[in-house]
């Protein structure tokens, strides 16, 4: 799948991460979506390293690692902005 497909995949992962981790974010919905996209790439890349999905396919493992990546980045962003 192409780069644009992974952006769409990250968009969905970012929205789900925001739904799982509700609350006020310092940057608003746009920043949250961008963090979700970045988290999808990071989660997908790390998942491919450990064998849970890969960057080239859209499987359940890839989707879970993308959501986890988005949650981790969103949580880290919130912690950095509070400090």
């Amino acid at each position: 799948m192409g780069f644009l497909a992974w952006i769409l995949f990250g968009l969905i992962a970012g929205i789900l991460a925001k739904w799982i981790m509700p609350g006020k974010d310092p940057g608003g919905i746009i920043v949250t979506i961008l963090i979700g996209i970045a988290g999808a790439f990071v989660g997908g890349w790390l998942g491919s390293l450990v064998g849970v999905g890969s960057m080239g396919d859209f499987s359940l493992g890839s989707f879970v690692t993308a959501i986890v990546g988005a949650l981790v980045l969103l949580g880290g962003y919130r912690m950095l902005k509070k400090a």
Side-chain angles (χ1 to χ4, degrees):
M1 293 288 166
F3 184 73
L4 291 176
W6 268 98
I7 290 177
L8 179 64
F9 197 60
L11 175 73
I12 295 167
I15 291 169
L16 284 174
K18 177 67 176 166
W19 180 70
I20 292 169
M21 229 167 100
K24 186 171 180 170
D25 291 321
I29 190 72
I30 301 298
V31 172
T32 302
I33 290 171
L34 292 175
I35 289 173
I37 292 170
F41 279 101
V42 171
W45 178 71
L46 290 175
S48 67
L49 289 178
V50 297
V52 184
S54 70
M55 287 295 286
D57 69 345
F58 292 115
S59 64
L60 182 60
S62 296
F63 193 60
V64 169
T65 57
I67 293 171
V68 169
L71 287 169
V72 168
L73 287 183
L74 184 59
Y77 178 70
R78 286 181 179 179
M79 287 174 43
L80 284 175
K81 284 299 186 175
K82 278 188 177 179

